[in-house]
Amino acid sequence: MRAASSLFWKFFLAMWAGYVLLVGVAANVIEEQYETRYSQIEVSERYGPLATYIIARYEQGVDITRREFSQGQIEFESEDANNDLLVIRDMQRERVIFGNRSGAERPTNVDFPIVSETGARYMANVGIPPRRNPLPALTTPTAIATALVTTLLYSWLFTFILTQPISRLKEHVQSLGRGALDQKLEGRLMRRRDEIGDLASSIDEMSSYIQELLNSKQRLLFDVSHELRAPLARLQVAAGIARGEAEAAGANTAMHDRFEQEIDVLNALISELLLLAKTENDVGERHLISLVEELKTVVDDMAFGAPEREIQTQFSVDSAEIEVSVPLFSRVVKNLVENALKYSDGEVLVSLEQDETDWIVQVQDRGEGIPEEQIEAMTQPFTRLQSESVEGFGLGLSIAHRAASALGGSLKLENCETGGLCATFKLPKA
Amino acid sequence: MTELSERLLLVDDDQSLNELLSQYLSGTGFDVSTVTSGEKAISLLQQDSSFDLLVIDVMMPGITGLELLPIIRSRWNIPVIMLTGRGEDIDRILGLEMGADDYLAKPCNPRELLARIKAVLRRTGEVSTEVAASIDLHGIRVDSGSRQATVGDEKLTLTTAEFDVLNELMKSAGSVVSREDLTCRVLHRELTPYDRSIDVHVSRVRTALRKHFEDRDLIVTVRGVGYQFAK
């Protein structure tokens, strides 16, 4: 469900409130019209000319009857006035000069005085038949509900049409933020010719640009590391020759040891850097594998490297088939286990579980863990704990993190409740 | 002097490295030739194939080391050591799976390369002196005289190292052979940390056997120790 503060709700509520207000105003106007229909001024304006005409004829000695009106013998025409409803009384002679007294018994009577040109006073009475007040019908619960539902549906539809492409854009930008830069926007948004279409193509351009930047950064890292290896290989052989000559001459070779040692460090660093550069963009081919089997293989492999250590496994899943890039997957697990072996004593536990959406591989050690404030930074390249006395470049977890993301999964580090570091590697099932 | 010393051919596109390596290895008594491409290596071998060992770099322009290896394997019977890019596991595995006798990550310590060269030469030199014997187990017959392994009538296609792995494991069937011992006996060198070549050889043998024994793994991994061939 959308957050209450979302654009959708703001638009929707504003629009709905607008419509409800509009309906309210309209109802008010109708009410007003209904009221004015009965006001003396309005009635005298409408019936005045007709009454004046009849009075003028009366003073000339001509009595006009309704029949004459109905037979069309009278030439006076008034669209506003209906002579059937009109009764005129001569106030001085106390007699009705037009119309029928019964007209006075109509439920709504409006009287207005008329003074003729001769100065005689008359009283006109218009009996208005009961008209249906339109409002009572509009204020029934059904009518109100209908109005509310109609405006709600209309507002919802309109808001949806307006905000839906924005939500799509938002989702797209979010996935860009998570690193899926190669993802392109769907054609429907790009083909729009309005501001949203412009925004969509701008976002697309931006993501291509960022992708290019990142690619060139990766490429540079890879190229530099790669190019460094050739002179390093020569340096290593040259050092070997120098050592041979020194040995032949019976000279001290302590410095040659040092040369070789530092060359080895450089070598290892370059290998790690190359791996880091490759991990992110080189997902490689995907194969269907059994997670359990693959984990066993990796753990066996690691156990060979550290025969004095105990690596426990605990698989609560029997069959977990998944299509992944095998080298990347085993790289994540390998680096996590390697990290655990390197920075802790005691046993290391590798477990496999599942929840509804993910396979969860956990690597736990019995070490001291990582101070909470540094835990976030551990996946950044060249981050090492200050207290560390063990050799390393601080690239292992960083490579694991990138490999996990490249697989579409995630890697989270936290200190276990039992002490030690607990690395959780989640891989989506589909 | 030259007739007695063993002849090496280095195939690497880095000419300066070739020169340095050649100087280093010559100093230890080898007769070293160098070429800078796979194409040149093939044409040289066509004229003169009397080399005792080839050292081939995987990363070369033109014919890469991985493409060169099967060509050489199909025409000449000369042991090959592959120099692979460091940290590029895929190349490493492929190199071994295509039947290189050993591999070494480059840049490498020249002493390490020398040790590997000597180990491979010792291994291939031993072949003729080994006492002919054969072992039969689970229908697999390993003949160390003819260096042939057969299942029933069918011949198993194995490289020298793979044959030795199978032979050594079957000799000690029922007991665990440690990775150190296996590396020593098969590759004639010490096992170093993070060295997985013996495991790759074992897994190649496993794959070859699996074609005939689908339902069971005759070679069992004993975690942290080594491998065991089922009795």
Side-chain angles (χ1 to χ4, degrees):
Chain A
M1 203 58 214
R2 293 165 217 264
S5 62
S6 78
L7 197 58
F8 179 86
W9 284 111
K10 283 178 188 161
F11 269 173
F12 170 62
L13 289 177
M15 193 171 280
W16 194 25
Y19 279 123
V20 170
L21 205 67
L22 194 66
V23 171
V25 169
N28 233 359
V29 169
I30 294 168
E31 167 94 36
E32 200 112 305
Q33 286 232 320
Y34 176 75
E35 297 268 310
T36 51
R37 185 169 282 276
Y38 296 95
S39 78
Q40 199 185 40
I41 299 168
E42 201 239 6
V43 172
S44 70
E45 272 173 11
R46 279 163 59 203
Y47 282 86
L50 177 63
T52 311
Y53 169 75
I54 295 168
I55 290 165
R57 294 298 301 270
Y58 166 73
E59 287 183 348
Q60 284 162 18
V62 184
D63 273 355
I64 297 174
T65 61
R66 279 189 182 148
R67 186 179 297 159
E68 285 167 292
F69 271 103
S70 61
Q71 286 169 355
Q73 290 163 359
I74 305 297
E75 280 161 18
F76 188 90
E77 278 179 26
S78 169
E79 281 179 13
D80 290 331
N82 182 352
N83 64 75
D84 279 345
L85 305 176
L86 184 65
V87 176
I88 300 172
R89 282 159 60 89
D90 181 340
M91 296 300 280
Q92 273 147 339
R93 296 184 198 167
E94 291 282 319
R95 58 172 288 227
V96 173
I97 61 162
F98 180 79
N100 196 323
R101 252 179 219 279
S102 66
E105 282 147 29
R106 295 212 180 249
T108 314
N109 288 286
V110 178
D111 293 322
F112 59 92
I114 296 176
V115 179
S116 75
E117 284 172 12
T118 58
R121 292 190 297 117
Y122 300 87
M123 183 61 77
N125 175 280
V126 180
I128 293 167
R131 284 178 66 108
R132 260 179 62 223
N133 182 342
L135 271 188
L138 286 177
T139 48
T140 61
T142 326
I144 291 174
T146 311
L148 285 179
V149 168
T150 320
T151 52
L152 182 137
L153 283 179
Y154 186 76
S155 310
W156 188 86
L157 185 72
F158 196 83
T159 313
F160 180 78
I161 290 171
L162 195 68
T163 55
Q164 203 265 345
I166 299 180
S167 311
R168 281 285 311 117
L169 278 178
K170 187 190 80 177
E171 276 162 30
H172 178 71
V173 173
Q174 272 173 344
S175 69
L176 290 185
R178 283 192 297 267
L181 284 167
D182 50 344
Q183 200 178 313
K184 288 286 163 214
L185 265 169
E186 58 192 274
R188 204 147 46 85
L189 276 174
M190 297 288 290
R191 279 195 298 274
R192 290 175 73 114
R193 287 166 173 234
D194 54 10
E195 285 85 344
I196 289 173
D198 291 346
L199 182 61
S201 46
S202 302
I203 289 176
D204 232 30
E205 274 169 33
M206 185 189 72
S207 66
S208 314
Y209 179 67
I210 297 176
Q211 168 98 62
E212 214 167 281
L213 269 184
L214 280 181
N215 280 350
S216 66
K217 189 192 112 193
Q218 296 293 335
R219 210 161 37 232
L220 183 71
L221 183 61
F222 185 83
D223 289 348
V224 167
S225 312
H226 194 255
E227 288 306 310
L228 277 174
R229 286 202 305 194
L232 200 59
R234 296 195 287 265
L235 186 63
Q236 204 162 24
V237 180
I241 295 170
R243 167 191 282 276
E245 285 169 357
E247 277 169 354
N252 185 353
T253 57
M255 266 306 132
H256 294 90
D257 291 342
R258 188 59 196 262
F259 273 149
E260 283 168 11
Q261 193 189 328
E262 296 300 333
I263 288 170
D264 284 342
V265 172
L266 271 178
N267 259 341
L269 174 59
I270 288 169
S271 315
E272 295 277 286
L273 277 177
L274 275 170
L275 204 58
L276 181 72
K278 278 172 75 174
T279 319
E280 204 153 74
N281 288 328
D282 187 15
V283 176
E285 259 181 68
R286 297 152 70 93
H287 292 284
L288 189 67
I289 55 158
S290 152
L291 278 190
V292 176
E293 290 305 310
E294 191 58 31
L295 279 174
K296 277 184 186 160
T297 310
V298 175
V299 169
D300 282 349
D301 206 27
M302 299 305 293
F304 277 138
E308 72 286 357
R309 299 290 295 274
E310 194 173 346
I311 307 177
Q312 297 262 10
T313 53
Q314 188 183 313
F315 300 145
S316 64
V317 179
D318 294 331
S319 80
E321 304 247 298
I322 188 171
E323 206 170 276
V324 285
S325 152
V326 184
L328 276 188
F329 173 79
S330 54
R331 172 60 53 201
V332 178
V333 183
K334 239 180 224 173
N335 282 20
L336 293 179
V337 175
E338 212 165 71
N339 190 71
L341 290 172
K342 229 176 181 179
Y343 298 112
S344 74
D345 307 317
E347 62 168 42
V348 172
L349 175 67
V350 179
S351 62
L352 175 64
E353 287 164 37
Q354 62 174 322
D355 63 13
E356 274 169 20
T357 53
D358 298 290
W359 299 112
I360 304 168
V361 180
Q362 269 196 332
V363 179
Q364 295 176 40
D365 64 41
R366 296 273 170 95
E368 289 167 10
I370 298 173
E372 288 295 336
E373 67 275 12
Q374 271 173 284
I375 224 164
E376 192 89 344
M378 289 312 288
T379 51
Q380 295 298 319
F382 301 109
T383 312
R384 276 167 293 180
L385 290 181
Q386 285 182 336
S387 58
E388 275 170 21
S389 51
V390 194
E391 272 181 42
F393 305 108
L395 289 171
L397 287 179
S398 176
I399 290 170
H401 186 253
R402 289 193 188 191
S405 314
L407 288 169
S410 66
L411 176 63
K412 197 175 166 213
L413 301 176
E414 56 200 344
N415 290 313
C416 333
E417 284 169 15
T418 52
L421 187 68
C422 180
T424 309
F425 169 31
K426 282 191 180 183
L427 207 53
K429 284 178 176 173
Chain B
M1 168 82 193
T2 20
E3 297 96 83
L4 292 173
S5 57
E6 283 161 307
R7 299 187 66 210
L8 305 182
L9 176 61
L10 305 184
V11 188
D12 195 325
D13 57 314
D14 185 344
Q15 182 55 31
S16 327
L17 182 66
N18 277 348
E19 282 164 16
L20 282 165
L21 269 178
S22 151
Q23 189 186 341
Y24 181 84
L25 294 170
S26 304
T28 59
F30 287 103
D31 176 6
V32 186
S33 310
T34 64
V35 284
T36 52
S37 72
E39 289 86 346
K40 285 177 190 159
I42 293 171
S43 60
L44 177 63
L45 283 169
Q46 276 165 344
Q47 292 160 25
D48 174 11
S49 61
S50 66
F51 289 96
D52 295 292
L53 186 131
L54 303 185
V55 178
I56 301 174
D57 184 24
V58 168
M59 298 262 285
M60 284 189 294
I63 299 182
T64 68
L66 292 182
E67 290 159 354
L68 183 60
L69 184 60
I71 299 174
I72 288 175
R73 276 272 171 267
S74 64
R75 297 197 203 168
W76 297 286
N77 186 24
I78 307 173
V80 174
I81 293 180
M82 301 291 287
L83 294 182
T84 68
R86 225 171 232 276
E88 291 164 22
D89 340 50
I90 299 157
D91 290 350
R92 184 184 88 191
I93 307 288
L94 273 179
L96 280 171
E97 294 210 332
M98 292 174 88
D101 292 82
D102 209 346
Y103 82 94
L104 200 54
K106 181 185 159 187
C108 56
N109 191 316
R111 262 182 300 165
E112 180 66 21
L113 177 61
L114 181 62
R116 299 282 175 104
I117 290 172
K118 283 183 174 166
V120 171
L121 287 174
R122 199 159 53 236
R123 190 166 86 221
T124 45
E126 252 171 27
V127 173
S128 50
T129 63
E130 196 170 325
V131 183
S134 72
I135 309 167
D136 268 296
L137 208 58
H138 306 295
I140 307 170
R141 185 185 173 84
V142 173
D143 189 332
S144 53
S146 64
R147 293 191 63 79
Q148 295 243 321
T150 47
V151 177
D153 296 332
E154 218 175 309
K155 199 182 140 197
L156 287 177
T157 329
L158 301 173
T159 64
T160 339
E162 286 156 22
F163 176 84
D164 288 337
V165 165
L166 183 60
N167 194 19
E168 290 298 331
L169 286 176
M170 284 179 71
K171 266 198 250 171
S172 322
S175 52
V176 183
V177 183
S178 73
R179 292 175 74 239
E180 288 83 356
D181 284 352
L182 204 56
T183 307
C184 241
R185 283 190 246 164
V186 173
L187 302 175
H188 298 267
R189 58 177 165 82
E190 292 283 306
L191 178 70
T192 49
Y194 303 109
D195 180 1
R196 297 275 176 275
S197 39
I198 196 70
D199 307 314
V200 179
H201 288 304
V202 171
S203 96
R204 285 267 296 167
V205 176
R206 262 193 184 138
T207 313
L209 290 179
R210 203 163 290 151
K211 282 174 199 149
H212 302 276
F213 301 89
E214 281 173 14
D215 50 335
R216 61 183 294 205
D217 255 333
L218 289 174
I219 301 174
V220 183
T221 307
V222 183
R223 201 199 293 171
V225 188
Y227 298 99
Q228 180 181 18
F229 196 87
K231 182 98 185 167

